[in-house]
Amino acid sequence: MTGTTSPITAEQLSATTLLRFATAGSVDDGKSTLVGRLLHDSKSVLTDQLEAVERASQVRGQQAPDLALLTDGLRAEREQGITIDVAYRYFATARRRFILADTPGHVQYTRNMVTGASTAELAVVLVDARNGVVEQTRRHAAVAALLRVPHVVLAVNKMDLVGYEESVFTAIAEEFTAYAASLGVPDVAAIPISALAGDNVVEPSANMHWYGGPTVLEHLETVRVGHDLTACPPRFPVQYVIRPQTAEHPDYRGYAGQIASGLLRVGDPVTVLPSGRTTTIAGIDALGSPVDTAWAPQSVTVLLSDDVDVSRGDLIAPTAHAPAVTQDITATACHLHERPLRVGERVLLKHATRTVKAIVKELPYRIDLSHGLAHEENPAALEVNDIGAVVLRTAEPLPVDAYAESRLTGSFLLIDPADGATLTAGMAGEPFAARPQAPASDDDGWDF
Amino acid sequence: MTTTARQTGASASPYALTHLDALESEAVHIFREVAGEFERPVILFSGGKDSIVMLHLALKAFAPAAVPFALLHVDTGHNFPEVLELRDRTVAEHHLRLHVAKVQDYIDDGRLRERPDGLRNPLQTVPLTDTIRELRFDAVFGGGRRDEEKARAKERVFSLRDEFSQWDPRRQRPELWSLYNGRHAPGEHVRVFPLSNWTELDVWQYIARERIALPEIYFAHRREVFRRAGMWLTAGDWGGPKAGEPVETRQVRYRTVGDMSCTGAVDSDAVTLEAVITEIAASRLTERGATRADDKMSEAAMEDRKREGYF
């Protein structure tokens, strides 16, 4: 086992990195068992939690402790034996700490998986080895591709029920990897497991000598994360203006925010959008102490050389790589609310730190994820869990990136102005990376 | 040092943040979003470790300016004196404004009645929601963490409450990326949880890294305690022990600080931060499972209280 039971020193622990990942699986693929085993074997299920599960299982007349009760936190979930909502779980090994977005496979799967995948750096897609790649698997792969989750793990589960046959695994892995590649998923790791028997989840399997790769946990511990954002052009949405106006800091005027992508350096020439004013970065305060360089996703305070007008909602970007500002946004949308989204609807659009009025101009198509991404042209509305294209006109210009370039400055929410409900999640640009692309220098139909 | 992120051996990338830097950055982002979008935010502050860490993060988020929020303490009347002392010292040190809502006032004038079991934590909900309404707070920061309890694992970072402060877990807004939706109608407010993604161990490691001062009851010390419902409770004026509950002096510390009627001590020799961290890393019991009577009342105790307006 990878050091999960040996004592961990405080120093080791604070040097670890954080991996956010999401799980996706259909009802009977064994997702709860996999999550339960990861939590259990990494010492994240503690005695009193297990006792509570045992007690509750007995009350329900169940023979064995029902590990789903560990994760089903709501009364209604336990009563109905279903998972309603995304839950977040936490566990750690000596090498890494994990935040797991545990997304239900049953009801409203698209909305929930989109929610979990939006912050995930890795998605685990579960497949039942007996059934292979099914409609749900393709849906999960499509959502991971749509949300541009950088790493996908295909966990081929229940290998014990197919005699641990290499050929079964290889066929499923090849079919899935080809489908994922067609969606533009850059990186798939396929792992044959039995969550129930414990094969290749935490411990290497004694039953599959033909498999030479890592276990699920080893892969989660070692997959490289955290470098993609810093390779992108810098984007700094201004959240809040810090002006102490004290005797000690009479003239301090700092722009606070979390770096959405890229690196910021003192001395960089920058442009403030949407005004287009240019200046340079005079200083960067990283939560109280000055630094020369800062990068995504650090929260910092930026000081500018010139006294330009900057306020919450503005975006600071390098002058050489500033995004265009536009009032016409074409995006892929996942509709989240029971109230349908229709053409002509007036909404609020929250992009980074700015919220503006917007109108739905067009719904060009709806994607049917279950049938090889078939398009339905000009649907009457986007219903809950629908994924489709949306064309919006905003009341003010916005610096929107392609979601493929920046998950934070390429995404937005649509909000109902009447009651504040979150209606729709938007990702600017084309849905899938592998759709036919124009030469790199051309405008390939994205909105900026 | 010219950068805040510690570079780690676990990743080949020079730009990977340590988990504490990533959690700190996320929490600071949440504080600044609230400062940017709400009129009257307040931080719930009890003097316990989570609220102390919350305040520390808020101080960093707005440095070198002052924290643009007031503090609110819901005082059960059964507090540990060491905790109140630290609360008042912290408020004075940072020139903060503290509101105190007292459960005792509600009992004295008949708006609340003492429970037969003597627990006062469940009585906090009414003074809390009354104060939010009277002082028209529109965003209320709480130190709740999703790892504490399975109902809390379902909680959003921005959690909309209706005019009765109620939480409806089935009608939560989906929360994607770091785009928090704080829109609310007049009378409604939003509970905000900047420590959502922190675990008990993260909180302690952060306290150690940042050298944050804590009330002494978090470290092992000798204290007069008695046994009730499987927990070591501190003897005192609040109502313990009863006849047949013999008092012993034991070496104990607290993992969580609620009020004295429902917060149990654990046997411990951990007198330093490092020892506390080692002890928690090896513990087979959760923080609340070990020492909180209010969570043991039923399988859905936390969910039910949250629905009524509790944190």
Side-chain angles (χ1 to χ4, degrees):
Chain A
M1 189 143 137
T2 36
T4 48
T5 51
S6 58
I8 302 166
T9 67
E11 200 169 286
Q12 268 179 332
L13 270 173
S14 60
T16 55
T17 52
L18 189 62
L19 178 77
R20 293 171 198 249
F21 74 105
T23 54
S26 318
V27 181
D28 296 318
D29 287 345
K31 188 170 67 67
S32 299
T33 317
L34 175 64
V35 169
R37 187 161 283 283
L38 277 173
L39 294 174
H40 182 268
D41 290 1
S42 61
K43 201 181 93 66
S44 302
V45 180
L46 299 182
T47 309
D48 55 312
Q49 292 172 312
L50 268 184
E51 283 170 1
V53 166
E54 281 163 12
R55 266 198 312 276
S57 303
Q58 274 173 8
V59 168
R60 287 172 169 76
Q62 288 159 324
Q63 300 287 314
D66 179 359
L67 280 179
L69 293 175
L70 270 176
T71 51
D72 288 345
L74 301 175
R75 194 186 276 281
E77 292 178 322
R78 290 189 295 274
E79 283 164 4
Q80 298 170 43
I82 59 164
T83 313
I84 292 170
D85 203 344
V86 183
Y88 295 87
R89 327 239 156 251
Y90 305 84
F91 66 101
T93 68
R95 298 162 93 169
R96 200 166 249 174
R97 319 217 88 195
F98 300 96
I99 300 177
L100 160 59
D102 188 9
T103 67
H106 304 54
V107 283
Q108 299 171 337
Y109 31 75
T110 309
R111 173 171 80 176
N112 284 312
M113 194 188 159
V114 166
T115 299
S118 72
T119 51
E121 293 146 312
L122 181 146
V124 178
V125 176
L126 232 74
V127 170
D128 184 328
R130 295 169 302 176
N131 305 329
V133 174
V134 295
E135 180 187 321
Q136 276 286 69
T137 319
R138 282 192 288 272
R139 188 186 298 272
H140 295 319
V143 171
L146 194 66
L147 272 289
R148 314 268 171 175
V149 179
H151 306 275
V152 173
V153 173
L154 172 72
V156 181
N157 192 24
K158 307 195 184 181
M159 287 299 294
D160 52 322
L161 300 184
V162 294
Y164 295 107
E165 275 298 323
E166 181 177 9
S167 58
V168 175
F169 169 74
T170 308
I172 295 169
E174 280 175 2
E175 184 183 351
F176 182 86
T177 305
Y179 181 69
S182 77
L183 298 168
V185 175
D187 176 31
V188 175
I191 304 175
I193 67 167
S194 167
L196 196 66
D199 294 285
N200 288 337
V201 178
V202 172
E203 305 279 359
S205 172
N207 299 309
M208 292 178 276
H209 294 294
W210 46 264
Y211 174 73
T215 65
V216 173
L217 186 64
E218 276 167 11
H219 184 72
L220 293 174
E221 284 183 310
T222 53
V223 67
R224 189 175 153 157
V225 292
H227 57 290
D228 289 331
L229 279 176
T230 50
C232 302
R235 298 288 184 257
F236 185 70
V238 176
Q239 270 189 294
Y240 191 76
V241 182
I242 293 179
R243 289 177 63 210
Q245 296 178 290
T246 55
E248 202 186 340
H249 302 281
D251 302 318
Y252 187 99
R253 191 180 171 86
Y255 303 104
Q258 185 170 23
I259 303 173
S261 61
L263 279 79
L264 299 180
R265 286 191 184 83
V266 174
D268 282 351
V270 291
T271 299
V272 180
L273 297 168
S275 74
R277 298 278 191 86
T278 58
T279 178
T280 55
I281 295 179
I284 303 172
D285 280 352
L287 306 184
S289 52
V291 296
D292 303 326
T293 309
W295 55 84
Q298 291 181 315
S299 280
V300 297
T301 304
V302 167
L303 304 157
L304 300 177
S305 305
D306 301 291
D307 203 7
V308 292
D309 177 18
V310 183
S311 57
R312 175 173 168 85
D314 287 345
L315 183 87
I316 295 173
T319 305
H321 296 283
V325 294
T326 178
Q327 287 180 256
D328 297 292
I329 296 169
T330 301
T332 309
C334 176
H335 191 60
L336 308 167
H337 202 279
E338 280 69 21
R339 235 173 294 156
L341 186 75
R342 298 177 192 284
V343 172
E345 196 160 344
R346 287 172 190 276
V347 292
L348 294 171
L349 186 153
K350 180 164 188 177
H351 170 253
T353 53
R354 182 180 290 258
T355 303
V356 300
K357 291 179 181 175
I359 185 163
V360 179
K361 300 294 281 185
E362 270 184 75
L363 296 171
Y365 60 84
R366 196 185 145 269
I367 303 173
D368 184 352
L369 292 179
S370 57
H371 294 96
L373 310 183
H375 282 201
E376 179 196 335
E377 306 293 329
N378 303 308
L382 290 183
E383 307 284 343
V384 64
N385 292 312
D386 275 356
I387 287 171
V390 59
V391 179
L392 297 150
R393 172 80 182 174
T394 60
E396 298 166 48
L398 291 175
V400 180
D401 282 301
Y403 184 77
E405 304 291 325
S406 169
R407 285 171 97 183
L408 294 180
T409 52
S411 61
F412 58 83
L413 299 179
L414 299 184
I415 294 169
D416 188 328
D419 65 359
T422 299
L423 298 174
T424 310
M427 291 153 279
E430 288 290 312
F432 298 108
R435 296 180 64 78
Q437 285 182 356
S441 58
D442 275 1
D443 181 348
D444 56 4
W446 296 16
D447 57 283
F448 65 106
Chain B
M1 197 168 75
T2 56
T3 57
T4 50
R6 282 154 203 51
Q7 297 176 0
T8 76
S11 164
S13 168
Y15 302 119
L17 300 190
T18 67
H19 80 280
L20 287 181
D21 283 326
L23 292 172
E24 178 186 62
S25 183
E26 177 183 73
V28 164
H29 172 82
I30 292 162
F31 277 111
R32 289 165 167 179
E33 278 300 284
V34 170
E37 296 223 322
F38 290 83
E39 297 289 324
R40 293 176 65 83
V42 71
I43 298 177
L44 275 193
F45 189 80
S46 65
K49 68 180 185 311
D50 298 311
S51 60
I52 289 174
V53 165
M54 235 190 351
L55 179 60
H56 181 87
L57 288 160
L59 288 162
K60 289 186 101 170
F62 301 100
V67 173
F69 315 124
L71 305 184
L72 169 61
H73 182 211
V74 182
D75 180 348
T76 63
H78 290 164
N79 295 292
F80 293 91
E82 300 93 327
V83 177
L84 288 185
E85 189 273 325
L86 188 116
R87 179 196 77 181
D88 293 338
R89 186 152 45 93
T90 307
V91 166
E93 186 187 341
H94 300 292
H95 311 289
L96 297 160
R97 176 145 183 236
L98 173 72
H99 302 278
V100 181
K102 291 187 172 169
V103 171
Q104 190 65 54
D105 291 349
Y106 280 70
I107 291 172
D108 290 347
D109 66 16
R111 282 178 289 172
L112 283 177
R113 260 181 302 170
E114 200 86 73
R115 295 162 52 98
D117 59 11
L119 296 185
R120 281 198 170 178
N121 257 32
L123 299 183
Q124 290 180 98
T125 303
V126 172
L128 169 66
T129 54
D130 279 0
T131 307
I132 291 170
R133 199 170 53 241
E134 281 159 21
L135 297 180
R136 293 181 290 112
F137 294 125
D138 56 359
V140 182
F141 289 103
R145 308 187 318 264
R146 286 170 177 154
D147 83 317
E148 281 181 88
E149 208 278 337
K150 56 188 182 296
R152 279 203 166 142
K154 300 272 175 179
E155 179 78 88
R156 300 292 185 258
V157 174
F158 274 38
S159 179
L160 182 67
R161 302 299 170 103
D162 67 12
E163 57 190 313
F164 303 102
S165 284
Q166 297 178 116
W167 181 60
D168 184 349
R170 302 194 81 157
R171 295 189 54 212
Q172 300 190 89
R173 291 172 177 165
E175 200 160 69
L176 296 97
W177 301 289
S178 50
L179 289 171
Y180 302 109
N181 178 0
R183 298 193 72 88
H184 59 282
E188 297 177 339
H189 70 278
V190 175
R191 300 277 171 94
V192 182
F193 301 100
L195 304 183
S196 285
N197 286 322
W198 297 52
T199 65
E200 182 188 17
L201 199 50
D202 296 328
V203 167
W204 279 103
Q205 289 181 309
Y206 190 71
I207 288 166
R209 186 183 98 174
E210 302 283 308
R211 302 174 198 280
I212 300 170
L214 289 185
E216 289 147 23
I217 66 168
Y218 282 112
F219 302 97
H221 57 288
R222 295 190 71 75
R223 164 182 293 265
E224 286 195 336
V225 291
F226 66 91
R227 199 83 176 150
R228 182 182 291 172
M231 297 190 304
W232 291 113
L233 298 184
T234 289
D237 296 341
W238 60 269
K242 292 178 191 158
E245 293 177 327
V247 173
E248 300 179 33
T249 301
R250 298 183 74 91
Q251 167 105 337
V252 295
R253 68 174 202 88
Y254 286 84
R255 282 177 74 176
T256 168
V257 172
D259 80 26
M260 294 166 103
S261 64
C262 72
T263 311
V266 292
D267 288 311
S268 172
D269 298 322
V271 294
T272 63
L273 275 172
E274 290 66 34
V276 168
I277 289 169
T278 305
E279 185 180 283
I280 290 167
S283 174
R284 298 300 303 152
L285 291 177
T286 63
E287 178 182 349
R288 299 190 80 91
T291 61
R292 288 298 280 264
D294 42 343
D295 290 341
K296 292 183 176 171
M297 290 187 287
S298 82
E299 199 182 355
M302 175 73 88
E303 179 181 345
D304 293 346
R305 278 181 295 147
K306 281 162 62 66
R307 281 175 180 273
E308 287 167 18
Y310 187 80
F311 266 84

